[in-house]
Amino acid sequence: MSLHDDAVLVLKGYEEQAELRQAYLDHLAEHPDGIWKACGAGHITASGLVIDPERGRVLLTLHRKLRMWLQMGGHCEPEDTTLAAAALREATEESGVTGLTLLPGGPVRLDRHPIPAPCHWHYDVQYAVLAPSDAEHLVSDESLDVRWFPYADVADVADESVVRLLEATRARL
């Protein structure tokens, strides 16, 4: 099965945010390359909110280009076999944390946001990723900083999309 096919299956099974889900499915139907960064009309991305429920905190990255505190995530790569695998790979690469695991149940949220040209949209499929209790993080080349934040502080540093992702993740825990 291709990554494109996996994305269609994941999205068809995702029943929350029905209108946005349909926009993702329409995008993939119209653009056979819609999973890849090269698709100028927009592309699917996969992200993972790294969370430590035992300590009530999340690990965010200060994105090098956007200069915003965000969850880990990014573009799908040819070696990714599923969106979940892409989200877990991105979370591991950008956080430096080993032993991350996906929160069961598939994606937590969808978030579509405009990006600068030449592309137009990121269709982000957002997962939650559980950190081991002894997690130690590193700052990757894609980040200016990586830092743990208590749940209560996330709204003070991150935008609404991250706050909504955290709320949806906590509701699923």
Side-chain angles (χ1 to χ4, degrees), residues 84-105:
L88 188 58
R89 176 188 52 75
E90 285 286 342
T92 301
E93 287 175 1
E94 292 184 11
S95 71
V97 176
T98 58
L100 296 174
T101 58
L102 290 168
L103 183 67

Side-chain angles (χ1 to χ4, degrees), residues 10-22:
V10 165
L11 291 164
K12 283 186 176 179
Y14 181 82
E15 298 192 11
E16 300 171 32
Q17 297 177 275
E19 188 174 320
L20 188 55
R21 176 187 70 172
Q22 190 58 51

